[in-house]
Amino acid sequence: MPDSGQQWHGSPESVAYKPGKGVFITLLLILAFAVSVIGYFFWYIPTVGLRSIHPALPWLLGAFVIALSAAFFGGGAFILNAALKGRVPFYSPSLRWLIMRLYLPVMAIAGGLLKIPKIRIEQAFIEINNQMVAMMGRRIKPERLLILMPHCIQFDDCKIKVTRNVRNCVGCGKCEIGELVSLSDEFGVNLFISTGGTVARRKVYEEQPQAVIAVACERDLASGLQDAYPLPVYAIVNKRPRGYCMETGVAIQDIRRAISELAGRP
Ligand code: SF4
């Protein structure tokens, strides 16, 4: 926390970020069991009628169900391995596609049924997404990286407009924007303070970065990651000592680490 004269105590609305891969993995295992049981019934019940049409049809249907299950479990095992080891033998964009388009929505539904807070699933999703993005092993030029910060990170009483030009910040230390500008200068990375999702999307469209480092709350990050796909986005959950959307913060060392991961810089 910069020298704002205040300690960072948090508030009832502030949710500490605890990466929750365990939630994701547990849900995956429960789902695997559920899919096996449901898959068996979906195979067994029609076979009674199919056999009367042709004796080979139940086997064809069985082969189809097994292929479908194998694809589901194969993807799940791959993600599980990524979650546990932080690395997979090879990276494929389809892995990220599986997580974004299939596993997250399914996990969210399963988590809802099991009364697991959505935020825990989003945290797990963010964590695994970041591992995948880091695994891409791309050495992106710093100038093709874009750091997207939400406007709520700014000190509430600051009269300086930083959303059009972040360089207007005079670095008074009352919020972290000054430090972010210094980091942007140090690495030559683009930095943008966004007033909302539409503005952020427009900035991404204009800049055409190769990767984005985004800071926001879990909900915005989870939906933003899906919107931005296939653009790789390294997501960092913000601090919320005053609750959502007001004088939020970010750990500068997390941004530094993200730049290092993506640009291969120390
Ligand atoms: S935006 Fe810059 S000038 Fe304004 S409070 Fe934050 S650090 Fe100070």
Side-chain angles (χ1 to χ4, degrees):
M1 177 69 179
D3 182 22
S4 63
Q6 292 178 320
Q7 287 296 310
W8 196 274
H9 290 308
S11 74
E13 303 90 68
S14 179
V15 180
Y17 175 46
K18 295 192 190 76
K21 282 180 290 190
V23 174
F24 210 70
I25 292 165
T26 307
L27 280 173
L28 200 62
L29 292 174
I30 292 171
L31 270 175
F33 179 72
V35 167
S36 304
V37 173
I38 293 168
Y40 175 76
F41 280 104
F42 266 93
W43 171 76
Y44 179 74
I45 292 168
T47 53
V48 180
L50 287 174
R51 199 171 290 126
S52 62
I53 301 170
H54 192 284
L57 280 179
W59 296 106
L60 282 175
L61 181 65
F64 178 71
V65 169
I66 287 169
L68 213 62
S69 304
F72 190 85
F73 291 128
F78 225 73
I79 291 165
L80 200 64
N81 185 59
L84 292 172
K85 295 185 178 170
R87 201 150 282 281
V88 288
F90 64 90
Y91 172 77
S92 158
S94 53
L95 262 183
R96 280 186 66 230
W97 183 91
L98 268 177
I99 294 178
M100 301 283 171
R101 300 285 189 248
L102 178 65
Y103 286 100
L104 178 71
V106 174
M107 298 285 163
I109 294 167
L113 293 174
L114 296 169
K115 303 273 186 274
I116 294 172
K118 199 172 174 200
I119 196 166
R120 300 283 295 146
I121 295 171
E122 289 164 345
Q123 287 171 349
F125 169 58
I126 289 165
E127 171 74 4
I128 292 178
N129 168 77
N130 286 352
Q131 286 185 9
M132 294 283 165
V133 171
M135 271 175 227
M136 290 169 69
R138 289 168 68 170
R139 291 288 171 259
I140 294 164
K141 289 182 181 163
E143 60 271 23
R144 298 299 305 278
L145 263 177
L146 174 65
I147 302 175
L148 271 180
M149 299 296 304
H151 183 219
C152 58
I153 195 172
Q154 189 174 21
F155 177 57
D156 206 39
D157 278 340
C158 179
K159 303 288 181 256
I160 295 173
K161 195 168 177 63
V162 290
T163 49
R164 283 201 191 280
N165 184 1
V166 73
R167 307 275 151 193
N168 290 338
C169 167
V170 295
C172 72
K174 286 186 174 159
C175 72
E176 282 141 342
I177 292 179
E179 286 183 77
L180 288 165
V181 172
S182 301
L183 201 66
S184 151
D185 289 340
E186 181 186 336
F187 287 96
V189 179
N190 286 324
L191 169 66
F192 185 68
I193 313 290
S194 166
T195 50
T198 307
V199 177
R201 273 190 285 274
R202 193 178 67 208
K203 185 68 179 173
V204 168
Y205 178 78
E206 287 169 0
E207 295 284 333
Q208 296 287 308
Q210 285 184 335
V212 171
I213 298 169
V215 176
C217 65
E218 289 86 346
R219 190 193 56 193
D220 286 357
L221 286 174
S223 62
L225 292 177
Q226 292 179 86
D227 287 351
Y229 182 84
L231 180 68
V233 179
Y234 196 103
I236 297 172
V237 176
N238 59 10
K239 295 178 182 176
R240 302 186 287 272
R242 292 171 188 267
Y244 284 89
C245 307
M246 174 137 180
E247 291 188 352
T248 59
V250 65
I252 297 295
Q253 69 270 23
D254 286 351
I255 305 276
R256 185 179 282 277
R257 188 168 54 240
I259 296 172
S260 300
E261 297 253 20
L262 296 171
R265 296 271 295 273

Short mmCIF file of all heavy atoms in Angstrom, two decimals, residues 4-41:
data_model
loop_
_atom_site.label_atom_id
_atom_site.label_comp_id
_atom_site.label_asym_id
_atom_site.label_seq_id
_atom_site.Cartn_x
_atom_site.Cartn_y
_atom_site.Cartn_z
N SER A 4 -0.30 6.42 2.10
CA SER A 4 -1.52 7.21 2.10
C SER A 4 -1.88 7.66 3.49
O SER A 4 -2.86 8.33 3.72
CB SER A 4 -2.67 6.38 1.53
OG SER A 4 -2.89 5.27 2.37
N GLY A 5 -1.06 7.25 4.49
CA GLY A 5 -1.36 7.61 5.86
C GLY A 5 -2.43 6.72 6.47
O GLY A 5 -2.87 6.94 7.58
N GLN A 6 -2.87 5.70 5.74
CA GLN A 6 -3.90 4.80 6.27
C GLN A 6 -3.42 3.37 6.15
O GLN A 6 -2.72 3.01 5.23
CB GLN A 6 -5.18 4.94 5.45
CG GLN A 6 -5.86 6.28 5.64
CD GLN A 6 -7.10 6.36 4.77
OE1 GLN A 6 -7.10 5.91 3.64
NE2 GLN A 6 -8.15 6.93 5.32
N GLN A 7 -3.80 2.57 7.12
CA GLN A 7 -3.50 1.15 7.05
C GLN A 7 -4.56 0.45 6.21
O GLN A 7 -5.69 0.90 6.12
CB GLN A 7 -3.48 0.54 8.45
CG GLN A 7 -2.26 0.94 9.27
CD GLN A 7 -0.97 0.44 8.66
OE1 GLN A 7 -0.85 -0.72 8.33
NE2 GLN A 7 -0.01 1.33 8.48
N TRP A 8 -4.19 -0.67 5.65
CA TRP A 8 -5.06 -1.41 4.75
C TRP A 8 -5.73 -2.53 5.56
O TRP A 8 -5.23 -3.63 5.67
CB TRP A 8 -4.18 -1.99 3.64
CG TRP A 8 -4.88 -2.45 2.45
CD1 TRP A 8 -5.44 -3.67 2.25
CD2 TRP A 8 -5.10 -1.73 1.26
NE1 TRP A 8 -5.98 -3.74 1.00
CE2 TRP A 8 -5.78 -2.56 0.37
CE3 TRP A 8 -4.79 -0.45 0.84
CZ2 TRP A 8 -6.15 -2.16 -0.90
CZ3 TRP A 8 -5.15 -0.06 -0.41
CH2 TRP A 8 -5.82 -0.90 -1.27
N HIS A 9 -6.87 -2.21 6.18
CA HIS A 9 -7.47 -3.15 7.12
C HIS A 9 -8.51 -4.05 6.48
O HIS A 9 -8.92 -5.04 7.07
CB HIS A 9 -8.14 -2.40 8.27
CG HIS A 9 -7.15 -1.73 9.18
ND1 HIS A 9 -6.10 -2.41 9.75
CD2 HIS A 9 -7.03 -0.44 9.58
CE1 HIS A 9 -5.39 -1.58 10.50
NE2 HIS A 9 -5.92 -0.37 10.40
N GLY A 10 -9.00 -3.69 5.34
CA GLY A 10 -10.07 -4.48 4.73
C GLY A 10 -11.42 -4.09 5.30
O GLY A 10 -11.53 -3.21 6.17
N SER A 11 -12.45 -4.70 4.80
CA SER A 11 -13.80 -4.39 5.25
C SER A 11 -14.65 -5.63 5.09
O SER A 11 -14.20 -6.63 4.50
CB SER A 11 -14.38 -3.26 4.39
OG SER A 11 -14.70 -3.76 3.12
N PRO A 12 -15.87 -5.62 5.60
CA PRO A 12 -16.70 -6.83 5.46
C PRO A 12 -16.90 -7.23 4.01
O PRO A 12 -17.08 -8.39 3.71
CB PRO A 12 -18.03 -6.41 6.09
CG PRO A 12 -17.69 -5.29 7.00
CD PRO A 12 -16.53 -4.58 6.37
N GLU A 13 -16.88 -6.24 3.10
CA GLU A 13 -17.12 -6.58 1.69
C GLU A 13 -15.83 -7.04 1.01
O GLU A 13 -15.85 -7.52 -0.10
CB GLU A 13 -17.64 -5.37 0.90
CG GLU A 13 -18.90 -4.76 1.45
CD GLU A 13 -18.58 -3.69 2.46
OE1 GLU A 13 -18.05 -2.65 2.07
OE2 GLU A 13 -18.85 -3.89 3.65
N SER A 14 -14.72 -6.81 1.68
CA SER A 14 -13.44 -7.16 1.07
C SER A 14 -13.22 -8.66 1.16
O SER A 14 -13.30 -9.24 2.23
CB SER A 14 -12.32 -6.43 1.79
OG SER A 14 -11.09 -6.77 1.23
N VAL A 15 -12.98 -9.29 0.04
CA VAL A 15 -12.79 -10.75 0.04
C VAL A 15 -11.34 -11.05 -0.24
O VAL A 15 -10.80 -10.65 -1.27
CB VAL A 15 -13.67 -11.40 -1.05
CG1 VAL A 15 -13.47 -12.91 -1.06
CG2 VAL A 15 -15.12 -11.07 -0.81
N ALA A 16 -10.69 -11.68 0.71
CA ALA A 16 -9.28 -12.02 0.52
C ALA A 16 -9.16 -12.99 -0.63
O ALA A 16 -9.99 -13.89 -0.78
CB ALA A 16 -8.73 -12.64 1.78
N TYR A 17 -8.13 -12.82 -1.44
CA TYR A 17 -7.94 -13.70 -2.60
C TYR A 17 -7.21 -14.96 -2.17
O TYR A 17 -6.07 -14.90 -1.73
CB TYR A 17 -7.15 -12.95 -3.68
CG TYR A 17 -6.82 -13.84 -4.86
CD1 TYR A 17 -7.80 -14.65 -5.43
CD2 TYR A 17 -5.55 -13.86 -5.40
CE1 TYR A 17 -7.51 -15.44 -6.51
CE2 TYR A 17 -5.26 -14.65 -6.49
CZ TYR A 17 -6.24 -15.44 -7.04
OH TYR A 17 -5.95 -16.24 -8.11
N LYS A 18 -7.89 -16.06 -2.23
CA LYS A 18 -7.25 -17.34 -1.91
C LYS A 18 -7.42 -18.23 -3.12
O LYS A 18 -8.52 -18.73 -3.37
CB LYS A 18 -7.92 -17.99 -0.71
CG LYS A 18 -7.77 -17.23 0.58
CD LYS A 18 -8.22 -18.12 1.75
CE LYS A 18 -8.32 -17.34 3.03
NZ LYS A 18 -9.52 -16.49 3.10
N PRO A 19 -6.37 -18.43 -3.90
CA PRO A 19 -6.51 -19.29 -5.07
C PRO A 19 -7.12 -20.63 -4.68
O PRO A 19 -6.69 -21.25 -3.72
CB PRO A 19 -5.06 -19.47 -5.55
CG PRO A 19 -4.36 -18.27 -5.03
CD PRO A 19 -5.03 -17.91 -3.74
N GLY A 20 -8.15 -21.02 -5.39
CA GLY A 20 -8.90 -22.20 -4.97
C GLY A 20 -8.90 -23.30 -5.99
O GLY A 20 -9.97 -23.74 -6.40
N LYS A 21 -7.73 -23.78 -6.38
CA LYS A 21 -7.69 -24.86 -7.36
C LYS A 21 -8.41 -26.09 -6.83
O LYS A 21 -9.00 -26.84 -7.57
CB LYS A 21 -6.23 -25.22 -7.67
CG LYS A 21 -5.57 -24.26 -8.60
CD LYS A 21 -4.14 -24.67 -8.87
CE LYS A 21 -3.27 -24.47 -7.67
NZ LYS A 21 -1.84 -24.63 -7.92
N GLY A 22 -8.34 -26.28 -5.50
CA GLY A 22 -8.97 -27.44 -4.88
C GLY A 22 -10.46 -27.51 -5.20
O GLY A 22 -11.00 -28.59 -5.42
N VAL A 23 -11.10 -26.35 -5.22
CA VAL A 23 -12.54 -26.30 -5.51
C VAL A 23 -12.78 -26.82 -6.92
O VAL A 23 -13.67 -27.64 -7.17
CB VAL A 23 -13.06 -24.84 -5.40
CG1 VAL A 23 -14.50 -24.75 -5.84
CG2 VAL A 23 -12.91 -24.35 -3.98
N PHE A 24 -11.98 -26.33 -7.83
CA PHE A 24 -12.11 -26.70 -9.24
C PHE A 24 -11.89 -28.20 -9.41
O PHE A 24 -12.64 -28.88 -10.11
CB PHE A 24 -11.04 -25.92 -10.02
CG PHE A 24 -11.43 -25.60 -11.43
CD1 PHE A 24 -12.41 -24.67 -11.70
CD2 PHE A 24 -10.79 -26.20 -12.49
CE1 PHE A 24 -12.75 -24.35 -12.99
CE2 PHE A 24 -11.12 -25.89 -13.79
CZ PHE A 24 -12.10 -24.96 -14.04
N ILE A 25 -10.88 -28.71 -8.73
CA ILE A 25 -10.54 -30.13 -8.86
C ILE A 25 -11.64 -31.00 -8.23
O ILE A 25 -12.05 -32.01 -8.81
CB ILE A 25 -9.17 -30.41 -8.20
CG1 ILE A 25 -8.07 -29.71 -9.02
CG2 ILE A 25 -8.87 -31.89 -8.11
CD1 ILE A 25 -6.76 -29.59 -8.32
N THR A 26 -12.11 -30.59 -7.05
CA THR A 26 -13.18 -31.35 -6.39
C THR A 26 -14.42 -31.41 -7.28
O THR A 26 -15.01 -32.47 -7.49
CB THR A 26 -13.55 -30.69 -5.04
OG1 THR A 26 -12.36 -30.54 -4.29
CG2 THR A 26 -14.55 -31.55 -4.27
N LEU A 27 -14.77 -30.25 -7.84
CA LEU A 27 -15.93 -30.21 -8.71
C LEU A 27 -15.73 -31.10 -9.93
O LEU A 27 -16.64 -31.78 -10.39
CB LEU A 27 -16.19 -28.77 -9.16
CG LEU A 27 -16.91 -27.90 -8.14
CD1 LEU A 27 -16.95 -26.46 -8.61
CD2 LEU A 27 -18.33 -28.39 -7.91
N LEU A 28 -14.51 -31.07 -10.44
CA LEU A 28 -14.20 -31.88 -11.62
C LEU A 28 -14.40 -33.37 -11.32
O LEU A 28 -14.99 -34.10 -12.12
CB LEU A 28 -12.75 -31.62 -12.03
CG LEU A 28 -12.35 -31.97 -13.44
CD1 LEU A 28 -13.14 -31.15 -14.44
CD2 LEU A 28 -10.87 -31.72 -13.65
N LEU A 29 -13.94 -33.80 -10.14
CA LEU A 29 -14.08 -35.21 -9.77
C LEU A 29 -15.55 -35.59 -9.57
O LEU A 29 -15.99 -36.65 -10.00
CB LEU A 29 -13.26 -35.50 -8.50
CG LEU A 29 -11.74 -35.40 -8.67
CD1 LEU A 29 -11.02 -35.56 -7.36
CD2 LEU A 29 -11.24 -36.43 -9.68
N ILE A 30 -16.29 -34.69 -8.92
CA ILE A 30 -17.72 -34.96 -8.71
C ILE A 30 -18.42 -35.06 -10.06
O ILE A 30 -19.24 -35.95 -10.31
CB ILE A 30 -18.36 -33.86 -7.83
CG1 ILE A 30 -17.81 -33.95 -6.41
CG2 ILE A 30 -19.89 -33.99 -7.80
CD1 ILE A 30 -18.19 -32.80 -5.52
N LEU A 31 -18.06 -34.13 -10.93
CA LEU A 31 -18.67 -34.13 -12.26
C LEU A 31 -18.32 -35.39 -13.03
O LEU A 31 -19.16 -35.96 -13.73
CB LEU A 31 -18.19 -32.92 -13.05
CG LEU A 31 -19.05 -31.67 -12.89
CD1 LEU A 31 -18.39 -30.53 -13.63
CD2 LEU A 31 -20.44 -31.91 -13.45
N ALA A 32 -17.07 -35.81 -12.90
CA ALA A 32 -16.64 -37.02 -13.61
C ALA A 32 -17.50 -38.20 -13.19
O ALA A 32 -17.94 -39.00 -14.01
CB ALA A 32 -15.17 -37.29 -13.31
N PHE A 33 -17.74 -38.30 -11.88
CA PHE A 33 -18.58 -39.39 -11.36
C PHE A 33 -20.00 -39.27 -11.91
O PHE A 33 -20.58 -40.25 -12.39
CB PHE A 33 -18.57 -39.35 -9.83
CG PHE A 33 -19.41 -40.42 -9.20
CD1 PHE A 33 -18.99 -41.75 -9.22
CD2 PHE A 33 -20.63 -40.12 -8.61
CE1 PHE A 33 -19.77 -42.74 -8.65
CE2 PHE A 33 -21.43 -41.11 -8.05
CZ PHE A 33 -20.99 -42.43 -8.07
N ALA A 34 -20.54 -38.05 -11.84
CA ALA A 34 -21.91 -37.83 -12.31
C ALA A 34 -22.04 -38.16 -13.80
O ALA A 34 -23.01 -38.82 -14.22
CB ALA A 34 -22.32 -36.38 -12.05
N VAL A 35 -21.05 -37.73 -14.59
CA VAL A 35 -21.10 -37.99 -16.03
C VAL A 35 -21.03 -39.49 -16.31
O VAL A 35 -21.72 -40.01 -17.19
CB VAL A 35 -19.96 -37.23 -16.76
CG1 VAL A 35 -19.79 -37.72 -18.19
CG2 VAL A 35 -20.26 -35.74 -16.77
N SER A 36 -20.23 -40.22 -15.51
CA SER A 36 -20.12 -41.68 -15.70
C SER A 36 -21.48 -42.34 -15.47
O SER A 36 -21.92 -43.16 -16.27
CB SER A 36 -19.12 -42.28 -14.71
OG SER A 36 -17.90 -41.66 -14.85
N VAL A 37 -22.13 -41.97 -14.37
CA VAL A 37 -23.42 -42.59 -14.03
C VAL A 37 -24.47 -42.23 -15.08
O VAL A 37 -25.16 -43.11 -15.62
CB VAL A 37 -23.87 -42.12 -12.62
CG1 VAL A 37 -25.29 -42.60 -12.33
CG2 VAL A 37 -22.90 -42.63 -11.57
N ILE A 38 -24.54 -40.94 -15.41
CA ILE A 38 -25.54 -40.49 -16.39
C ILE A 38 -25.25 -41.13 -17.75
O ILE A 38 -26.15 -41.59 -18.45
CB ILE A 38 -25.57 -38.96 -16.48
CG1 ILE A 38 -26.08 -38.39 -15.15
CG2 ILE A 38 -26.46 -38.47 -17.63
CD1 ILE A 38 -25.88 -36.89 -15.00
N GLY A 39 -23.96 -41.16 -18.12
CA GLY A 39 -23.55 -41.74 -19.41
C GLY A 39 -23.97 -43.20 -19.52
O GLY A 39 -24.45 -43.65 -20.57
N TYR A 40 -23.82 -43.94 -18.40
CA TYR A 40 -24.20 -45.35 -18.41
C TYR A 40 -25.69 -45.51 -18.70
O TYR A 40 -26.09 -46.31 -19.55
CB TYR A 40 -23.83 -46.00 -17.07
CG TYR A 40 -24.29 -47.43 -16.97
CD1 TYR A 40 -23.60 -48.45 -17.63
CD2 TYR A 40 -25.44 -47.76 -16.25
CE1 TYR A 40 -24.04 -49.76 -17.57
CE2 TYR A 40 -25.88 -49.07 -16.19
CZ TYR A 40 -25.18 -50.07 -16.84
OH TYR A 40 -25.61 -51.37 -16.79
N PHE A 41 -26.50 -44.70 -18.01
CA PHE A 41 -27.96 -44.79 -18.22
C PHE A 41 -28.35 -44.37 -19.63
O PHE A 41 -29.21 -44.96 -20.25
CB PHE A 41 -28.70 -43.98 -17.15
CG PHE A 41 -28.81 -44.73 -15.86
CD1 PHE A 41 -28.02 -44.40 -14.79
CD2 PHE A 41 -29.69 -45.81 -15.74
CE1 PHE A 41 -28.10 -45.12 -13.60
CE2 PHE A 41 -29.78 -46.53 -14.56
CZ PHE A 41 -28.97 -46.18 -13.48
#
